[in-house]
Amino acid sequence: MSTIEDARKLIGVPQYEETGEFPVERSYVWTMCAAVENGNPLFWDEDAARELTDGPIAPPTMLSVWFRPHHWAPGRTHEHHPLKVHFDLKERLGLPEAVMTDNTMVFYEPVRPGDLLSTRQILRSVSDEKTTKLGTGCFWVIDVEYTNQKGEKVGVESYTGFGYRRASQERASQERSGGADRGAS
Amino acid sequence: MSPLAPRLVFGDVAEGDLLPSLPYDVTATTVVLGALATRDWRPMHHDKDFAVQRNGTRDIFLNTPNQAAWFERYITDWTGPHGRLGRVTFRMRDSVFPGDTMVLDGAVSEVGVDDSGCGWIGLDITLSVEGDVKSTCSARVALPMDDDDNPWHRGADRWKP
């Protein structure tokens, strides 16, 4: 386990640059719209999409979906972790639990079916240790930047995460280690 | 082809205006559909035993990207298809479970025109269950200035979300 200071060395460093496993799929747009009963004609009506957005687009808030892989793919050799920087921090700081508390998305060029997006993750901040009703841990902010195959920026997401140990986990950890290494896991 | 008229133009909206409420009965299907549609395979959004034992919640619960999609739908139900989202921020306070009736409410928090002539409105939206706010969303949305305007046709140099 490393310290908060070590974790902060990654602030501002682009990490995990990658291109999507699949192009943006129109049927997935319909799956999403059906799940929340979104009848916006941009997604369902060819004429409306042609007139208003020069053809079909994906709902802007689906931005992060395009980098969450399908549950399985043939020949996939590595386990993809969306928001890997978040999971790295949990591991690095020895925090077994985490929640996302805050999420901002900024939208630029529309995402269209057939687009192949690229992404990178940038850690923006790591707080000092704090205790909330969930447990004790750190807050952090991670930006995820997205571009399309033409290099145009399509969006940026900022996530605030809180990684923590529950009070019971903290006690168990202290008992195992005699209290010398509180977060070992 | 006749042009689609905007449902709402910038001049129709004033600070303090309220959006119509949207109530929705959340079921396990709502949670699971939204989790799969957002490719969020984490078990607390489809496996009740996991949610109860690992997360300490009473049931599976709505995931964040699914809530984002609900907020988007709520906003564009009101603006119509000309409304173009620029920015949304959500904050989750508490979980939404099957059996809950979630209610989306919204108010216009600001109106303004930027230096490229784009009309923007700010919205404060809450997602509540029995009056308890479970998550909040603030959004910045572009509306057409008039019947001939279309925020979707703004290129990168005229789009300042």
Side-chain angles (χ1 to χ4, degrees):
Chain A
M1 188 182 76
S2 61
T3 64
I4 293 172
E5 275 313 308
D6 287 337
R8 285 180 178 149
K9 287 177 184 157
L10 286 168
I11 289 172
V13 180
Q15 295 186 77
Y16 301 112
E17 303 199 37
E18 61 179 315
T19 296
E21 196 174 65
F22 290 84
V24 172
E25 304 144 87
R26 195 160 186 208
S27 62
Y28 231 83
V29 168
W30 292 323
T31 299
M32 182 79 257
C33 289
V36 298
E37 301 177 17
N38 183 348
N40 189 335
L42 288 183
F43 314 122
W44 299 96
D45 178 333
E46 299 290 337
D47 290 338
R50 190 162 43 238
E51 182 179 325
L52 295 182
T53 53
D54 303 317
I57 63 168
T61 59
M62 286 189 81
L63 194 56
S64 65
V65 173
W66 312 118
F67 276 90
R68 287 192 214 94
H70 284 280
H71 194 257
W72 176 90
R76 183 188 285 157
T77 52
H78 72 288
E79 194 182 351
H80 174 92
H81 278 295
L83 217 52
K84 184 80 166 66
V85 170
H86 169 81
F87 294 97
D88 288 351
L89 281 168
K90 283 180 65 183
E91 194 177 322
R92 200 175 257 272
L93 298 172
L95 302 172
E97 310 296 336
V99 290
M100 291 298 178
T101 61
D102 201 307
N103 181 205
T104 294
M105 306 167 102
V106 186
F107 308 110
Y108 296 93
E109 287 299 311
V111 173
R112 298 177 185 278
D115 277 358
L116 196 55
L117 303 184
S118 294
T119 182
R120 57 190 204 166
Q121 303 173 28
I122 303 173
L123 179 64
R124 295 298 182 193
S125 65
V126 182
S127 77
D128 293 333
E129 194 164 270
K130 293 181 192 296
T131 298
T132 72
K133 67 176 182 178
L134 290 171
T136 298
C138 295
F139 287 89
W140 49 71
V141 176
I142 299 164
D143 277 359
V144 184
E145 299 180 347
Y146 299 90
T147 50
N148 63 20
Q149 65 281 2
K150 290 182 271 186
E152 296 165 329
K153 183 161 66 173
V154 297
V156 179
E157 284 192 290
S158 293
Y159 286 95
T160 303
F162 179 60
Y164 63 98
R165 291 177 293 276
R166 287 188 233 164
S168 57
Q169 290 168 328
E170 197 143 15
R171 278 195 301 276
S173 170
Q174 279 171 349
E175 281 159 17
R176 275 200 306 275
S177 63
D181 182 8
R182 300 195 318 151
S185 62
Chain B
M1 178 174 59
S2 64
L4 270 172
R7 186 176 305 162
L8 198 64
V9 296
F10 181 74
D12 294 338
V13 180
E15 191 180 326
D17 283 358
L18 299 180
L19 280 63
S21 287
L22 172 68
Y24 193 85
D25 292 331
V26 175
T27 65
T29 305
T30 315
V31 176
V32 173
L33 266 180
L36 299 194
T38 55
R39 295 185 192 156
D40 188 340
W41 319 113
R42 292 176 300 162
M44 61 278 210
H45 305 303
H46 63 258
D47 180 342
K48 181 173 178 176
D49 287 346
F50 185 97
V52 170
Q53 288 160 22
R54 281 299 304 278
N55 293 87
T57 53
R58 68 172 156 90
D59 206 332
I60 58 173
F61 51 97
L62 289 182
N63 65 322
T64 301
N66 185 22
Q67 291 196 32
W70 278 102
F71 284 123
E72 177 174 351
R73 177 239 156 137
Y74 181 64
I75 293 166
T76 56
D77 274 4
W78 178 67
T79 63
H82 289 72
R84 180 176 176 185
L85 292 183
R87 176 182 292 261
V88 291
T89 296
F90 354 86
R91 183 174 284 268
M92 309 298 152
R93 295 189 192 176
D94 206 350
S95 303
V96 180
F97 300 109
D100 287 345
T101 298
M102 65 176 181
V103 181
L104 290 145
D105 287 293
V108 177
S109 56
E110 59 181 322
V111 296
V113 179
D114 73 17
D115 57 15
S116 71
C118 184
W120 291 98
I121 56 166
L123 296 174
D124 284 335
I125 301 168
T126 57
L127 189 163
S128 311
V129 176
E130 293 177 357
D132 289 335
V133 174
K134 302 295 183 179
S135 46
T136 61
C137 169
S138 56
R140 178 170 153 84
V141 186
L143 290 182
M145 295 301 288
D146 54 43
D147 281 358
D148 298 322
D149 187 24
N150 175 5
W152 292 103
H153 283 161
R154 290 181 163 270
D157 54 329
R158 295 170 58 241
W159 178 248
K160 297 167 184 174

